[in-house]
Amino acid sequence: MSRSIADQTVEELGGPGSVLARQRRDHIELDRLLHELDGSTGAAQEEVLTRVDRLVFSHAFAEETVLWPVLRRVLPDGDDLTRRVEEEHQEVNELVSALERDGLDSPERPARLARLVEVLREDVRDEEDALLPRLQERLDPEELRALGRRWALMRRLSPTRPHPTVSRRPPGNALSGLPLTVLDRTRDLVDAGVRRVPDRFAPVGRAVSSGLAAVAGVVERVPLSRRGDRPPTSR
């Protein structure tokens, strides 16, 4: 059985620039944030959850556009392996969308948060114990580093918010990625500004953010954005 990438040294993973090492660094940061989330409440909890979202959604988009197509190409069971992770990504999108929609006072919030943490930890285990070691078997260290560079670039150019109706596979995710990235990262800047400005200016910023969210909703539902998916992740 292949060794989990969690149990390997950086050198065994192909060096710090390898996609395996880059993925693991994100997983370590996610684990730290989830522990911080567990000990927080109210507005502080929302702040931590925002940082979790920004990490998770850019990470997942880079996987779905760069890594999973390679896995499906080099492994005979790659389609089944990646579909399981895509299902986890889909559930994360739906849970975070529900948390954002219903707010801090929702009676379902504790159960949703608990399930979100559970799914995120399952996702990390599936990737580190199953998918990524199989990828390591098929690619040499130089190929892993080249893939790591592509993954890192895509991560910096990825959406940062949940989009549950967008395809988890090409061509839909690739076609919707750029407009959603621009909209999400603009919203991130606007929302950060709202937290810093005097209260009398905050309603304007919130209105701008809501408008950008509405545009993103339109992009999500364009037929091209939904192409390539298959049950059970298609919506």
Side-chain angles (χ1 to χ4, degrees):
M1 184 175 178
S2 304
R3 287 173 63 204
S4 169
I5 71 163
D7 301 327
Q8 299 184 42
T9 66
V10 172
E11 288 71 25
E12 288 175 313
L13 296 176
S18 161
V19 69
L20 306 180
R22 293 176 190 268
Q23 287 269 114
R24 191 172 67 179
R25 285 198 295 272
D26 270 10
H27 293 166
I28 292 169
E29 174 63 9
L30 175 61
D31 182 67
R32 186 190 69 77
L33 288 171
L34 292 180
H35 278 102
E36 189 176 343
L37 183 70
D38 185 53
S40 60
T41 58
Q45 186 181 77
E46 277 292 280
E47 178 61 33
V48 179
L49 189 58
T50 295
R51 284 184 282 153
V52 169
D53 293 348
R54 302 302 173 263
L55 171 65
V56 163
F57 292 120
S58 60
H59 178 103
F61 186 86
E63 287 176 337
E64 291 169 353
T65 54
V66 174
L67 288 191
W68 297 169
V70 174
L71 269 164
R72 288 193 285 269
R73 175 170 55 81
V74 301
L75 295 176
D77 57 345
D79 189 77
D80 290 336
L81 287 170
T82 56
R83 185 179 297 116
R84 174 183 170 90
V85 175
E86 288 166 348
E87 290 172 21
E88 292 165 346
H89 290 178
Q90 181 66 29
E91 186 173 1
V92 168
N93 271 260
E94 293 173 356
L95 286 165
V96 173
S97 294
L99 287 166
E100 290 183 349
R101 181 188 67 236
D102 295 344
L104 291 169
D105 298 326
S106 170
E108 297 181 55
R109 183 178 177 85
R112 285 171 175 159
L113 275 174
R115 178 58 183 163
L116 176 64
V117 172
E118 182 181 15
V119 176
L120 288 172
R121 294 200 182 281
E122 287 175 358
D123 181 64
V124 169
R125 285 195 298 271
D126 285 339
E127 292 178 8
E128 292 193 346
D129 299 346
L131 274 76
L132 297 177
R134 296 285 303 280
L135 182 68
Q136 186 179 28
E137 292 173 352
R138 295 299 182 112
L139 302 183
D140 63 37
E142 182 53 43
E143 289 172 318
L144 290 171
R145 289 190 288 271
L147 197 56
R149 291 189 290 271
R150 289 173 52 204
W151 179 89
L153 175 62
M154 185 58 66
R155 187 180 177 283
R156 288 195 294 270
L157 302 174
S158 294
T160 57
R161 295 178 183 250
H163 298 290
T165 63
V166 169
S167 173
R168 311 246 71 82
R169 296 191 178 198
N173 60 355
L175 293 170
S176 62
L178 179 58
L180 290 176
T181 296
V182 172
L183 291 164
D184 285 359
R185 291 180 183 264
T186 303
R187 283 187 71 196
D188 292 346
L189 293 173
V190 171
D191 290 350
V194 167
R195 292 192 290 270
R196 292 194 300 267
V197 300
D199 290 346
R200 66 180 182 275
F201 297 122
V204 176
R206 284 194 286 268
V208 172
S209 182
S210 295
L212 292 168
V215 176
V218 173
V219 173
E220 282 189 53
R221 288 164 176 78
V222 170
L224 284 175
S225 297
R226 308 175 78 169
R227 287 184 57 194
D229 236 350
R230 60 187 69 181
T233 62
S234 59
R235 292 292 182 271

